[in-house]
Amino acid sequence: MSESQFYTFITGGVSLMIAAGLLVAWHLWRMREEHQAGIVSALDGVSHELRINLQRFVSELGQVHAIQEAGPDLLLPVRHPQLDGVNASMIRANRNALAVIGNTYQELEARKMALRASLAQGRDPVDPMDDAMDATINGIATLYMWEVHGGARPSEVGRIRSWDVRDWMKGHNFSQNSLPGMYLRDEVVERLRAYGLHLTPRPLTHTAHEYYSMQYDRKADIHAPFGRRKTPEQLEEAARKAEEKAAKKAAKQAEKDARKAEKAAEKAAAAAAAEEEVLGDDSPAEMETYSGETYEEGQVFQSSDDDASGIMDDDEDELGMLEDAEPDSRPN
């Protein structure tokens, strides 16, 4: 074998080994992808199987409620081969969530058997119906946690809008009036909230009228944000200041009342004095005697000195007018 043939043989052998390696790797990758797809399909089959069983159970409960003489043959047995196959296989899955689904199937089957026995014996199926509807609500809540959140615990999910849950039920044909005598979507939302799922918004605790009618002082409440910041010493100091303020206000009011009483007493004394003067003036008038002459009350007294002083005043006025006149002017 020549040197060129040897190199050709080596090159061809290496190429075949690389091609075989690539083919094996591709085949293994295809097997892995098919296995992963099979796992996803199996887990989707578990949710689909549970949804079909719940919808059938809801329909059966509606028929039992609508038909007066319903028989036990309306209730079909519960079967879950998909869940049994997943539990029997060695695939990676959330085994805790699968266990919860298995318990849900057991509860549904037990409630259905109790309702079937009640219908077969001709008894009133009110209590078995209530238990069956409660199991259905639990099953829908379990299906939501498995299908949307992968079977996680409600406390691990976080904040979820309640309308997202309602839209999910609407997409799976769980109407509001599916179960007789209750609102199914509201019951499922409240059941998930009871299980620990943080659904928003929270339910209202007061109506608008009750809320705005509440008389609440957040500064007076020691458990309020503003009251919580105060220490007991600060609260005692505030109470002491309030008492001092009230005492000062009472003292000012008492002083004001005393001044008002004093002014009222002064007014009463002045009124009494004025009344006494009026009574004194109304007494009979006495005759008064001045320089041997007698005059009655109200008579005007005029002496001769007053007449002389009046004449002198008139002469002085005329002389003043002559002095003020101009020297060239002549009196008329």
Side-chain angles (χ1 to χ4, degrees), residues 296-300:
E296 294 181 359
E297 185 178 0
Q299 183 177 357
V300 178

Side-chain angles (χ1 to χ4, degrees), residues 6-236:
F6 176 75
Y7 284 118
T8 301
F9 175 76
I10 294 297
T11 304
V14 172
S15 300
L16 289 176
M17 290 177 63
I18 292 174
L22 291 174
L23 181 63
V24 171
W26 177 78
H27 184 66
L28 293 176
W29 177 77
R30 285 291 305 272
M31 290 178 61
R32 181 177 179 276
E33 289 297 322
E34 290 177 357
H35 181 68
Q36 293 293 333
I39 292 175
V40 173
S41 178
L43 297 179
D44 289 341
V46 170
S47 62
H48 179 73
E49 183 180 57
L50 179 57
R51 182 172 65 254
I52 293 300
N53 284 322
L54 288 172
Q55 290 175 348
R56 186 179 66 185
F57 197 16
V58 169
S59 177
E60 292 171 353
L61 292 177
Q63 292 178 5
V64 171
H65 182 267
I67 301 174
Q68 296 294 334
E69 297 179 357
D73 54 345
L74 288 177
L75 302 174
L76 301 177
V78 179
R79 295 290 181 266
H80 41 83
Q82 187 70 29
L83 178 64
D84 296 337
V86 171
N87 287 328
S89 63
M90 298 299 295
I91 63 176
R92 293 186 59 183
N94 191 344
R95 296 293 171 176
N96 294 328
L98 292 175
V100 172
I101 294 176
N103 293 333
T104 301
Y105 276 122
Q106 291 179 3
E107 184 181 7
L108 290 173
E109 187 174 2
R111 300 305 182 190
K112 186 175 287 190
M113 289 177 62
L115 182 58
R116 189 184 297 112
S118 177
L119 294 175
Q121 297 173 5
R123 293 185 284 108
D124 190 4
V126 175
D127 294 336
M129 277 282 293
D130 293 340
D131 296 338
M133 289 189 292
D134 189 74
T136 305
I137 293 170
N138 288 333
I140 295 174
T142 302
L143 176 62
Y144 170 77
M145 295 301 300
W146 168 261
E147 187 171 325
V148 178
H149 302 291
R153 295 183 177 89
S155 58
E156 299 174 353
V157 174
R159 298 167 62 93
I160 302 297
R161 292 179 68 252
S162 60
W163 280 107
D164 294 340
V165 181
R166 297 174 188 274
D167 292 340
W168 174 84
M169 285 189 286
K170 187 184 297 184
H172 289 312
N173 297 324
F174 290 111
S175 64
Q176 187 78 311
N177 299 320
S178 297
L179 295 179
M182 66 173 58
Y183 297 104
L184 179 59
R185 295 174 189 170
D186 296 342
E187 294 294 334
V188 172
V189 168
E190 293 302 324
R191 188 63 55 87
L192 288 171
R193 184 177 283 113
Y195 286 164
L197 187 63
H198 191 183
L199 292 173
T200 57
R202 294 182 179 179
L204 297 177
T205 56
H206 300 282
T207 62
H209 176 72
E210 292 173 349
Y211 179 78
Y212 288 108
S213 297
M214 293 172 62
Q215 300 296 329
Y216 175 69
D217 186 5
R218 62 181 182 179
K219 294 186 178 179
D221 187 4
I222 60 175
H223 299 293
F226 287 97
R228 195 179 300 125
R229 299 174 185 172
K230 296 179 181 179
T231 61
E233 292 78 7
Q234 291 176 344
L235 294 175
E236 292 178 0

Side-chain angles (χ1 to χ4, degrees), residues 269-311:
E275 186 177 0
E276 289 179 358
E277 288 183 2
V278 170
L279 292 176
D281 292 340
D282 291 342
S283 60
E286 296 180 354
M287 303 299 292
E288 296 181 359
T289 305
Y290 294 96
S291 62
E293 296 182 358
T294 301
Y295 297 94
E296 294 181 359
E297 185 178 0
Q299 183 177 357
V300 178
F301 174 76
Q302 185 176 3
S303 62
S304 59
D305 295 336
D306 293 338
D307 296 337
S309 61
I311 295 171

